[in-house]
Amino acid sequence: MRSPRDAGSAGMSVAIGEAEIARRIEQLGALKAAIGQAIIGQDAVVEQLLIGLFAGGHCLLEGVPGLGKTLLVRSLGAALELTFRRVQFTPDLMPSDILGTELLEEDHGTGHRSFRFQQGPVFTNLLLADELNRTPPKTQAALLEAMQERTVSYGGTTYQLPAPFLVLATQNPLEQAGTYPLPEAQLDRFLLQIRVDYPDEAEEIGILQQTTGTRSPTVPPVMDGDAVIVLQAMVRDVHVSPDLTAAIVRLVRATRPGDGAPDIVTRYVRWGAGPRAGQSLVLAAKARALLHGRLAATREDVAVLAAPVLRHRLLLSFAAEAEQMEADAVIAALVGQLRVA
């Protein structure tokens, strides 16, 4: 494995040997275990959240209220020695409530007045955007620059966000009252859309036992920001073969209606995924490989992550809605037809 490239804003460039690789992979196991102190079950959800973190991409968690989405993100924040802030998105939330605002200050000695930029909660390492789709599109769009460029522009000045920076957003199903659909441009900025489903019976029993007693589980910190940045650099160095890259491109291109598109896409998809989907699928596959202790991504990694990467990037047709065809079913069919698995 090659040495990771420069780790970005932390200014690190470190040579990683086999012993160091093993130690870093062991850290990943410790991080999973730490989160498991507070979260019962949801193994796939936890893994996808960690994939987003180490691939350097934002994650959108979708599920009905009460499934532990906020607790999961808080547990991740506790296990990582990073700054963590939570914003509850409501219909009256304004962009300045997220980004910050300019305050007029007066020097009492000289009487001189000047504006000072007061940073908002977006200036953090982990931003929990809770119930993102309960705020109007104007406020949702305030996060676009921060998510894409890791900067905030205000009053003609550009401010750099700290590294690492990750938006972990939760949203309620769009069928619920009081929700606003996220714009396609913002959805495309999320590396993964993670579905949080109901727990099974055994997990639900464990949840009740753990949360109704006198003792609350604690999540120990196991990793700091420098370690996260090193692991993000290691993910970039995970090998992806030319054949696997070609398979990813075929899968992404197959989601686009047009000449030669599969029948299921022609019938049920209005708009397919763009090139950013391919980039996201490559990075996510690399991150999953590293989480499983491998230094090369496989077709299994791609097949497992195809739905979380692509489901929010497909715009389905009216026929799909009428026949209750979901994006996951379209993606599963494409994965099978193209023999990605």
Side-chain angles (χ1 to χ4, degrees):
M1 185 174 182
R2 305 185 312 276
S3 297
R5 297 193 300 260
D6 186 273
S9 59
M12 293 189 308
S13 181
V14 291
I16 303 293
E18 291 185 6
E20 181 68 6
I21 290 172
R23 189 177 75 83
R24 296 294 182 182
I25 291 175
E26 187 177 343
Q27 275 189 310
L28 294 175
L31 181 58
K32 282 185 182 179
I35 296 173
Q37 298 287 329
I39 302 297
I40 295 176
Q42 302 288 9
D43 292 339
V45 173
V46 172
E47 178 173 280
Q48 290 174 31
L49 194 61
L50 294 179
I51 287 170
L53 171 66
F54 294 113
H58 313 291
C59 296
L60 179 64
L61 291 85
E62 181 180 275
V64 299
L67 295 183
K69 301 185 297 296
T70 302
L71 176 61
L72 174 58
V73 177
R74 282 191 175 278
S75 300
L76 177 63
L80 299 170
E81 295 181 285
L82 301 173
T83 58
F84 169 78
R85 291 184 181 177
R86 174 181 179 269
V87 177
Q88 182 67 48
F89 281 70
T90 56
D92 60 347
L93 196 72
M94 298 297 292
S96 59
D97 296 327
I98 304 167
L99 304 179
T101 188
E102 284 188 333
L103 302 177
L104 180 61
E105 293 186 336
E106 180 177 349
D107 187 321
H108 295 291
T110 64
H112 176 72
R113 293 182 178 182
S114 60
F115 284 99
R116 178 180 62 85
F117 180 66
Q118 177 67 43
Q119 295 182 350
V122 75
F123 287 86
T124 186
N125 295 124
L126 294 178
L127 177 66
L128 170 55
D130 217 357
E131 296 188 301
L132 179 61
N133 62 336
R134 288 201 182 277
T135 198
K138 177 181 179 180
T139 305
Q140 293 173 3
L143 282 176
L144 276 175
E145 180 188 353
M147 293 174 66
Q148 182 63 29
E149 307 296 337
R150 268 67 173 181
T151 59
V152 168
S153 297
Y154 195 98
T157 303
T158 298
Y159 302 89
Q160 191 72 38
L161 294 174
F165 172 72
L166 185 68
V167 174
L168 303 172
T170 69
Q171 75 168 3
N172 300 108
L174 293 178
E175 293 78 11
Q176 292 196 339
T179 59
Y180 299 84
L182 296 177
E184 284 78 7
Q186 184 159 7
L187 283 173
D188 199 33
R189 263 65 175 187
F190 286 102
L191 181 86
L192 303 174
Q193 182 181 7
I194 303 172
R195 292 273 173 84
V196 184
D197 294 322
Y198 291 106
D200 61 31
E201 184 175 356
E203 291 171 349
E204 196 157 354
I205 290 173
I207 291 170
L208 297 184
Q209 291 173 339
Q210 179 171 286
T211 57
T212 57
T214 57
R215 298 181 60 184
S216 299
T218 58
V219 179
V222 296
M223 191 179 296
D224 61 16
D226 286 347
V228 171
I229 291 174
V230 169
L231 283 163
Q232 287 177 341
M234 288 178 63
V235 164
R236 294 273 179 166
D237 259 357
V238 171
H239 179 67
V240 176
S241 69
D243 288 346
L244 186 56
T245 301
I248 290 171
V249 170
R250 287 196 301 271
L251 175 61
V252 173
R253 291 178 65 85
T255 66
R256 304 167 190 166
D259 293 339
D263 291 340
I264 193 170
V265 171
T266 302
R267 180 171 178 81
Y268 295 120
V269 179
R270 291 173 60 193
W271 296 100
R276 188 180 281 121
Q279 295 170 332
S280 298
L281 192 48
V282 169
L283 284 172
K286 288 183 173 188
R288 185 178 186 272
L290 193 64
L291 280 171
H292 286 258
R294 291 182 275 107
L295 303 182
T298 66
R299 286 177 177 261
E300 178 192 358
D301 297 319
V302 175
V304 168
L305 293 167
V309 169
L310 295 173
R311 61 168 60 112
H312 56 297
R313 293 182 162 99
L314 302 188
L315 183 61
L316 300 185
S317 65
F318 293 113
E321 184 176 353
E323 298 178 33
Q324 297 184 331
M325 173 65 70
E326 295 187 345
D328 283 20
V330 174
I331 295 164
L334 292 177
V335 169
Q337 288 177 23
L338 299 175
R339 298 179 181 178
V340 173

